[in-house]
Amino acid sequence: MKAARFDLHLAADAAEAVRHLQGDDAKPVAGSQSLGPMLNLRLARPGLLVDVTRCAELRAVTEEAEDVLYGAALTHAEFEDGALPDATPGWLAPIARRIAYRAVRNRGTIGGSIAHADPAADWVATMTGLGASVRILGPEGARELPMAEFVTGALSTALGPDEIVTAIRLPRRGPEARWSYWKFCRKVGEFAKASACVLADPARDEYRVLAAAIERAPVALPDPRALIEGRADPREAVEAALPFLSPERRALQATATSRALAALETGVPA
Amino acid sequence: MNIPRQGVGAPVRRLEDDRYLEGRGRFAGDIRMPGMLEVAFLRSPVAHAGLRGVAKPEGAAHQVFTAADLEGVRGIRADSGLPGFRSSVQPVLAADRIRHVNEPVAACVAPSRAEAEDLAEATGLDLDILPAVHDMLKARDPDAPLLHDGWEENVFLESGFEQGFEAASADAAIRIRRQYRTSRQCMSPMEGRGVVAYVDEQADQLVVITSTQMPHIVRNGLAECLGIDQGRIRVIAPDVGGGFGYKGILLAEEVMLGWLALKLRRPVRWIEDRREQLAGNANCREHWYDITGYASADGRLLAVECEAIVDSGAYSAYPFSACLEAAQVASILPGPYKMDGFRCRTWSVATNKPAILPYRGVARTGVCFAMELMMDELARGIGMEPAEFRRRNLVTGSEMPFVNITNKIFDSGDYVEALDRSLAALDLPALRARQARGEPDGRHLGVGISIFCEQGAHGTSVYSGWGIPMVPGFEQATARMTPDGGLELRVGVQSHGQSLETTLAQIANEVLGVDPAKVKLVHGDTALTPYSTGTWGSRCIVMAGGAVATACEELAERAKKIAGTLLQADPDAIVLGNGEARGPSGSVTLAEIGSVWYHRPQDLPEGVDPAGLEATKGYKTVRDTGTFSYACHTAVVLVDPGTGAVEIEDYRITEDGGVLVNPMVVDGQVWGGAVQGIGTALYEEMPYDSEGQPLSTTLAEYLLPGAAEAPSIPIAHMETPSPISRFGQKGIGESGAIGPPAAIGNAVNDALRAFGAAIDQVPITPERVMAALARGERA
């Protein structure tokens, strides 16, 4: 299990990284926690890897009045350790803490996870749930897409082959906002078999109940306020919104949604 | 001077720990030699095919080797002498037929592994794809494709045992029939296999350094396959990072590396990667049972009837053969129970999968699962608490030694006492009350028990009966006192996690009084150690321990004679202990005794034994039918009906390993085994699709229990001495891995019973629990 031959370029900044991605055969890489195994199994065989972890702007945190921008090459461990300012009332570290294993978190990055778009990935679910958007740099310049438009399917995004994710923009959440994230894993550190997140932010009038780890992009359930306020049955909502899942996966998803909603109610972090 | 006891029974800290914990061990992967080449294998992408040709990459004929190059090399053959056994030959490289995915077809040699893999990728295969036998239950179908020429059906061996069945089962009040299945697993030691081979020109020897449990057996196999004299082969096991049975076989890769070293006259190395281990090599455990239990209304187990199939894969693995597992099922299924009737038929079937290999517990883990789930069903059937039903049918302490229905001789112990101690720790009435109340979070509580005995250190009479290529005889050890009063022990077994460097030193201390820190264990090298079948079958502490004690006793007599001269005392009046020989009026240190023999022979007495301070002795147990350790495992689980998840809330073990040479080491062995058993129970599974493709080819799919999945497991020890071993010790190495699937399976079924649901297969995945609940609902 050794990778096929490839060249490696260590990009000094984001613009240089984008320039090196112009060939057909180039791919950006950050923590290499998803791409690395694919290379070693020879399932991915790029001729050139462009390492973006040395780009200063991808390692930066920018605090704005309404949002915080997180550089794409910040690691899960940096979120877990509270080394970064949190746009939320302390929700990010518990999410990061439960991503895979510490060795993976030491190297894996938030931007890499989102760009890889594994449907069961924690950042894919939670950044969609938290209403984040993705800053992208390409040969035509910078652009920004909401998570819900960025992730287009399983392992599929709106990112062009010559573009990179530079940052994740996360709206600030006040103390009255509530959040829960519940996932089901066979064992600690494995990818989720089902997950759900719930956001209730009255100050911004933003409510969301999201079903994730469903082998495609996360799905926001309709009428989230009715679900959050207990006026609608989460099982029925899941049945209606996720007809493509097998009955077994749908039942598991209903459990995830119910438990995420219950965790929001009790305030117990899930 | 107050020296803490360091002999048999003392929890001495492991002498090997410093080396391992500080990363100073030397494993196959740590070995680099000048001019060494790396080897990658081109492996079959399909399960069953005719091999019409192999196209080497252009210009790489001297780097890529196929079966056509291996002139004079014989395939690996492990026949059993049991009547009706069908023989298979496992080719070192597939020649004209491929019988499982990832079977080696070509060996590619290059300066780096990546380049060797490039060569493998560029090598072409011309295949004539054949239908695959992927399911052991269909392997015997009349229209199933046959794996081996000349066979009438895909069966290595059909075996059976019957005693008193018709009479004992005739008047049963209750008869329950169930089908159970254990999934195929892959043994996953921290270190996979690895081989370095080179030619030692000075010694005129092929040297094969290999991550093995049995260097001497590997040498036998290499000599047979390569057709060269044993004296021209040296096999060395370096530090070995766990084995569990996976390193108790001869690998085709070992033969191939030996051939390459001889051919190229350069060092070659192959380090197995996880994909090779998972998807091509380390298969084990896949059993199916159709079992019927018969009981009386007052709770007596009357009889058991069973048909069992073991998926043996494509080849008979060397040296244990393809039938050891299934044939054992027929002899050990009755477990620790008394019964008057037993009938069992088993089939070792051939399929297009890698050969099944003996994994810690071998057949016992599956047998225990089938038998113990049946015991619970029978108990429920007659309305009795499963623990009580067991109590009424276990062999009791007063019946020991006991010859059971399949003529196994249980040497000692009190199985009922083990059950009672487990129950006392569990507080079953409180758990039943809690179960009746229900859990606040909606999960379902279940309690499960498993109890079993484990035959260890079984010897000549048992294995000569199997007629396999390897029969253990006298186990030997060499004890040699050094001039400074230290001790070298040489044994042919191999320590790969068993702590033998410590425990054998403790035994030497017990006999000679030598400080364990001054004992050097030499093992894992055919050039330096007496012949041994190696480390398997929970045999080392009994057999190598007994051999070390016997050699040390001989040495003690000789040392006492020398000491007697120095002390002017009768040697019989001298006692060895705390590093010295003490007579009625004074003492000399072992160092002084050593010094006299080696440095000052002029001071030796007349008539001293010229054999000196070095002795090789052989040892057998009083009776070679094995020690029987036993254990009772209890599991309390919480089953989540929303997800199917099983949480182990409490797990306990009462264990009787006879006299414990080092209780701390035994705890480690039992814990490690139990966590592997939890893997069998809840996580590990290697499924194959209908084309014979393995589906869990990385650790992302093949789930192993990790630290977070390992509960804290209290172990209560009983120490009933074995009457057949030197110190009363019993083999304990496999025990932990046997009980968990049964205890956890019974606990899950106890939780599911209220819903009319039950599981019948391990691992107990969330999907299987949800499916069982759905079946229960429909019923």
Side-chain angles (χ1 to χ4, degrees):
Chain A
M1 281 202 295
K2 302 289 180 197
R5 189 186 171 84
F6 62 86
D7 291 326
L8 177 68
H9 178 77
L10 307 179
D13 59 51
E16 187 196 320
V18 168
R19 277 200 304 280
H20 277 88
L21 288 173
Q22 298 313 302
D24 317 330
D25 204 16
K27 240 183 156 11
V29 63
S32 200
Q33 297 304 291
S34 299
L35 186 57
M38 309 271 282
L39 291 172
N40 283 345
L41 292 165
R42 301 195 173 196
L43 296 171
R45 328 183 50 128
L48 172 67
L49 281 185
V50 181
D51 185 319
V52 298
T53 55
R54 285 162 181 77
C55 304
E57 56 267 61
L58 270 67
R59 298 275 310 142
V61 179
T62 312
E63 297 203 67
E64 296 179 355
E66 290 294 302
D67 307 315
V68 178
L69 273 98
Y70 295 98
L74 294 168
T75 64
H76 313 321
E78 286 168 310
F79 285 94
E80 174 184 12
D81 295 344
L84 310 171
D86 193 338
T88 71
W91 302 339
L92 298 184
I95 295 168
R97 189 173 303 135
R98 294 175 60 216
I99 298 172
Y101 304 89
R102 179 71 195 196
V104 171
R105 300 196 289 271
N106 282 338
R107 298 187 66 94
T109 66
I110 187 168
S113 171
I114 283 167
H116 184 58
D118 190 307
D122 296 86
W123 290 131
V124 169
T126 57
M127 287 298 121
T128 310
L130 288 167
S133 41
V134 184
R135 282 188 69 78
I136 297 165
L137 186 68
E140 311 300 320
R143 61 184 181 124
E144 196 164 315
L145 284 176
M147 273 297 288
E149 291 171 34
F150 177 78
V151 179
T152 55
L155 306 174
S156 154
T157 68
L159 198 66
D162 49 3
E163 291 182 313
I164 60 168
V165 174
T166 54
I168 318 298
R169 177 189 294 280
L170 196 60
R172 291 184 184 274
R173 303 288 170 187
E176 70 293 342
R178 290 182 300 153
W179 160 258
S180 72
Y181 172 49
W182 195 92
K183 65 172 176 173
F184 177 65
C185 304
R186 282 283 307 278
K187 54 174 266 201
V188 170
E190 291 304 310
F191 275 113
K193 292 268 181 210
S195 73
C197 32
V198 182
L199 175 72
D201 187 351
R204 298 176 68 121
D205 193 27
E206 207 177 322
Y207 299 87
R208 199 172 288 116
V209 178
L210 196 77
I214 50 176
E215 292 167 3
R216 57 175 72 187
V219 169
L221 301 183
D223 202 357
R225 287 199 69 168
L227 287 165
I228 290 167
E229 289 159 15
R231 291 180 283 108
D233 178 5
R235 272 176 201 281
E236 284 171 18
V238 165
E239 288 287 332
L242 308 173
F244 49 86
L245 288 181
S246 69
E248 296 77 26
R249 287 300 288 270
R250 210 156 50 230
L252 197 58
Q253 199 57 49
T255 297
T257 308
S258 305
R259 293 195 183 169
L261 285 162
L264 188 76
E265 201 51 49
T266 59
V268 176
Chain B
M1 195 162 55
N2 190 13
I3 296 174
R5 264 188 56 72
Q6 295 182 292
V8 170
V12 173
R13 293 277 290 270
R14 302 201 325 152
L15 300 173
E16 47 270 78
D17 272 349
D18 280 356
R19 175 169 97 249
Y20 289 136
L21 297 181
E22 292 174 8
R24 289 184 281 107
R26 178 175 166 272
F27 298 87
D30 295 318
I31 296 170
R32 300 229 176 354
M33 303 186 76
M36 186 172 81
L37 297 169
E38 299 280 352
V39 179
F41 285 91
L42 170 63
R43 295 173 183 276
S44 169
V46 300
H48 200 186
L51 178 59
R52 286 192 289 239
V54 183
K56 297 182 183 180
E58 210 162 303
H62 60 296
Q63 284 178 284
V64 176
F65 301 93
T66 67
D69 298 306
L70 302 183
E71 205 179 315
V73 174
R74 283 190 282 272
I76 298 171
R77 192 167 170 153
D79 292 345
S80 161
L82 291 173
F85 182 83
R86 290 189 184 88
S87 177
S88 70
V89 176
Q90 175 188 359
V92 173
L93 294 173
D96 47 14
R97 182 90 165 266
I98 282 163
R99 295 186 181 86
H100 66 82
V101 170
N102 287 322
E103 184 167 355
V105 183
C108 307
V109 180
S112 73
R113 174 66 177 255
E115 292 163 289
E117 290 186 19
D118 289 346
L119 285 173
E121 207 173 49
T123 302
L125 296 181
D126 184 3
L127 299 171
D128 176 19
I129 310 280
L130 300 168
V133 183
H134 74 285
D135 182 348
M136 60 178 161
L137 301 187
K138 295 179 181 151
R140 288 158 58 219
D141 287 354
D143 59 344
L146 290 172
L147 262 79
H148 295 284
D149 295 337
W151 287 26
E152 312 83 61
E153 56 172 352
N154 291 316
V155 176
F156 285 101
L157 182 72
E158 182 179 337
S159 60
F161 188 93
E162 181 164 355
Q163 175 68 45
F165 174 75
E166 294 295 347
S169 59
D171 299 322
I174 184 168
R175 167 183 181 280
I176 294 179
R177 180 177 176 191
R178 289 286 182 273
Q179 293 180 346
Y180 297 118
R181 192 166 184 151
T182 59
S183 295
R184 206 167 189 82
Q185 275 184 253
C186 290
M187 290 175 271
S188 301
M190 294 282 275
E191 182 211 26
R193 298 296 306 247
V195 185
V196 179
Y198 64 96
V199 175
D200 179 338
E201 300 287 358
Q202 184 206 352
D204 187 23
Q205 275 185 324
L206 167 67
V207 181
V208 177
I209 304 173
T210 177
S211 183
T212 185
Q213 300 173 209
M214 35 176 59
H216 294 274
I217 297 298
V218 169
R219 180 162 81 161
N220 290 345
L222 289 174
E224 242 172 67
C225 293
L226 294 172
I228 53 180
D229 292 346
Q230 295 241 355
R232 292 189 54 227
I233 303 173
R234 177 179 180 185
V235 176
I236 299 171
D239 273 324
V240 174
F244 315 114
Y246 183 33
K247 297 173 183 172
I249 56 158
L250 174 71
L251 285 175
E253 289 87 342
E254 286 171 316
V255 180
M256 192 60 212
L257 270 276
W259 184 87
L260 283 170
L262 289 166
K263 167 86 179 168
L264 302 173
R265 302 308 264 204
R266 280 178 73 172
V268 287
R269 184 174 82 157
W270 166 72
I271 302 297
E272 180 184 65
D273 65 32
R274 274 297 155 194
R275 191 166 49 170
E276 293 176 298
Q277 172 247 330
L278 284 172
N281 278 351
N283 282 219
C284 59
R285 284 277 194 267
E286 193 171 7
H287 292 198
W288 176 87
Y289 296 86
D290 184 342
I291 181 171
T292 306
Y294 300 79
S296 72
D298 63 351
R300 223 159 57 78
L301 176 66
L302 300 173
V304 171
E305 183 181 21
C306 183
E307 293 197 344
I309 298 176
V310 172
D311 187 332
S312 295
Y315 299 111
S316 183
Y318 185 98
F320 288 103
S321 91
C323 68
L324 180 72
E325 192 121 349
Q328 272 200 357
V329 168
S331 70
I332 64 179
L333 187 66
Y337 300 110
K338 293 175 281 189
M339 63 189 74
D340 292 330
F342 179 59
R343 178 152 78 197
C344 185
R345 286 176 76 198
T346 70
W347 290 266
S348 307
V349 303
T351 61
N352 290 108
K353 299 178 187 175
I356 199 167
L357 308 175
Y359 179 30
R360 199 175 199 172
V362 195
R364 288 168 203 285
T365 303
V367 159
C368 182
F369 180 68
M371 187 65 196
E372 288 295 277
L373 262 64
M374 175 51 67
M375 289 299 284
D376 265 34
E377 293 294 335
L378 289 169
R380 299 295 182 180
I382 57 172
M384 190 175 277
E385 181 67 58
E388 180 55 30
F389 181 59
R390 283 182 173 79
R391 183 184 288 105
R392 292 182 188 201
N393 293 290
L394 286 167
V395 174
T396 65
S398 62
E399 290 167 312
M400 293 290 179
F402 182 83
V403 181
N404 87 339
I405 193 157
T406 56
N407 303 315
K408 296 281 177 190
I409 307 173
F410 299 165
D411 55 343
S412 66
D414 190 333
Y415 300 172
V416 178
E417 173 71 14
L419 175 67
D420 286 341
R421 286 198 197 186
S422 283
L423 291 174
L426 200 59
D427 197 354
L428 194 55
L431 285 167
R432 292 291 179 220
R434 182 178 149 196
Q435 197 174 30
R437 280 196 306 275
E439 297 298 300
D441 64 5
R443 290 190 292 174
H444 305 307
L445 182 86
V447 188
I449 297 173
S450 70
I451 186 162
F452 58 90
C453 52
E454 185 209 348
Q455 188 178 18
H458 27 337
T460 312
S461 68
V462 179
Y463 277 86
S464 58
W466 298 108
I468 59 174
M470 179 209 75
V471 178
F474 285 96
E475 189 72 20
Q476 289 174 308
T478 301
R480 173 199 282 168
M481 193 180 288
T482 55
D484 57 359
L487 189 74
E488 272 179 23
L489 293 175
R490 294 167 183 263
V491 292
V493 296
Q494 160 64 18
S495 184
H496 49 276
Q498 291 83 356
S499 317
L500 292 175
E501 290 171 48
T502 306
T503 53
L504 294 182
Q506 286 180 254
I507 286 175
N509 168 275
E510 184 72 29
V511 177
L512 279 172
V514 60
D515 181 352
K518 291 189 173 162
V519 179
K520 182 79 211 128
L521 184 71
V522 179
H523 61 129
D525 190 334
T526 56
L528 302 177
T529 66
Y531 180 85
S532 168
T533 54
T535 299
W536 53 273
S538 298
R539 65 191 299 276
C540 287
I541 205 62
V542 173
M543 298 307 297
V548 163
T550 309
C552 286
E553 279 156 4
E554 174 69 23
L555 209 55
E557 291 312 306
R558 299 183 198 169
K560 283 179 190 175
K561 268 192 198 145
I562 297 173
T565 309
L566 299 175
L567 295 171
Q568 310 223 322
D570 179 356
D572 290 341
I574 288 175
V575 178
L576 298 177
N578 293 343
E580 57 186 24
R582 179 170 296 280
S585 56
S587 63
V588 289
T589 62
L590 294 179
E592 284 171 88
I593 295 171
S595 179
V596 171
W597 174 262
Y598 292 102
H599 300 322
R600 291 185 283 122
Q602 65 272 26
D603 294 343
L604 288 168
E606 286 290 313
V608 70
D609 189 337
L613 294 177
E614 174 168 342
T616 298
K617 285 294 196 182
Y619 170 81
K620 264 191 185 181
T621 48
V622 172
R623 188 175 60 230
D624 70 4
T625 50
T627 60
F628 282 78
S629 65
Y630 57 96
C632 181
H633 289 214
T634 60
V636 178
V637 303
L638 289 161
V639 179
D640 185 337
T643 61
V646 175
E647 185 199 331
I648 301 171
E649 186 188 74
D650 185 78
Y651 200 97
R652 289 168 193 277
I653 296 173
T654 303
E655 176 87 50
D656 191 342
V659 172
L660 304 183
V661 172
N662 184 327
M664 187 178 66
V665 164
V666 172
D667 281 347
Q669 287 281 315
V670 175
W671 280 324
V675 173
Q676 288 180 313
I678 288 170
T680 303
L682 297 179
Y683 301 106
E684 297 181 43
E685 181 170 11
M686 172 56 80
Y688 281 76
D689 73 8
S690 61
E691 291 174 354
Q693 288 289 341
L695 300 178
S696 300
T697 59
T698 73
L699 291 177
E701 295 104 28
Y702 191 84
L703 296 189
L704 289 163
E709 288 72 47
S712 176
I713 301 175
I715 303 171
H717 291 291
M718 295 167 61
E719 288 195 60
T720 314
S722 168
I724 66 167
S725 67
R726 173 61 180 79
F727 299 101
Q729 76 272 39
K730 297 185 176 188
I732 193 88
E734 299 167 84
S735 172
I738 296 168
I744 293 167
N746 276 331
V748 168
N749 281 350
D750 187 48
L752 296 181
R753 191 159 279 111
F755 306 89
I759 58 92
D760 54 11
Q761 182 171 357
V762 283
I764 305 165
T765 60
E767 291 79 5
R768 290 197 174 106
V769 171
M770 296 305 273
L773 281 168
R775 281 196 304 272
E777 250 168 48
R778 281 198 300 275

